[in-house]
Amino acid sequence: MMKSMSVLMVAGLLSVSAWAAGDPALGKSKSATCVACHGAEGKVSVPMYPNLAGQNAMYLEQALQSYKKGERTSGQAQVMRAYVANLSDADIADLAAYYASLKP
């Protein structure tokens, strides 16, 4: 029983580390289209858009993947889907790492 729990814990840690694989520097270079709504440093001036600075990288990756797959449908989902449609998984990871690295 303990051995199987250890295996599950290691597997969980490995899957979490896969989410943290983004490069913040590359993310910053890919964030130009995000600036219009989410601000130059991930802080908005228009309250209808969310701040991205300091958000959890895993959350951001999951959110962007959900927009890309069409799983998010409310609010500005159609706009977001258009922006993320051509992003690779690496692009998404880099953007998530960049915004997570910023101070909220």
Side-chain angles (χ1 to χ4, degrees), residues 5 7 31 38 49 54 67 70-71 75 80-81 93 95:
M5 290 291 285
V7 170
S31 69
H38 298 287
Y49 303 114
Y67 283 122
E71 295 170 351
M80 283 298 299
R81 188 169 187 194
L95 286 166

Side-chain angles (χ1 to χ4, degrees), residues 11-23 52 54-67 69 71-72 89 92-101:
L13 290 173
L14 290 174
S15 66
V16 169
S17 66
W19 285 99
D23 181 330
L52 301 180
Q55 277 282 7
N56 180 286
M58 184 183 297
Y59 167 77
L60 290 172
E61 271 193 71
Q62 289 176 338
L64 291 173
Q65 291 289 357
S66 293
Y67 283 122
K69 294 173 186 173
E71 295 170 351
R72 285 191 173 198
D89 290 346
I92 288 173
D94 293 340
L95 286 166
Y98 168 62
Y99 284 110
S101 74

Side-chain angles (χ1 to χ4, degrees), residues 34-93:
C34 308
V35 171
C37 298
H38 298 287
E41 295 294 319
K43 296 178 186 169
V44 301
S45 58
V46 179
M48 75 178 270
Y49 303 114
N51 288 318
L52 301 180
Q55 277 282 7
N56 180 286
M58 184 183 297
Y59 167 77
L60 290 172
E61 271 193 71
Q62 289 176 338
L64 291 173
Q65 291 289 357
S66 293
Y67 283 122
K68 186 174 178 176
K69 294 173 186 173
E71 295 170 351
R72 285 191 173 198
T73 57
S74 63
Q76 296 291 314
Q78 291 302 317
V79 173
M80 283 298 299
R81 188 169 187 194
Y83 278 111
V84 301
N86 294 318
L87 295 178
S88 69
D89 290 346
D91 294 335
I92 288 173

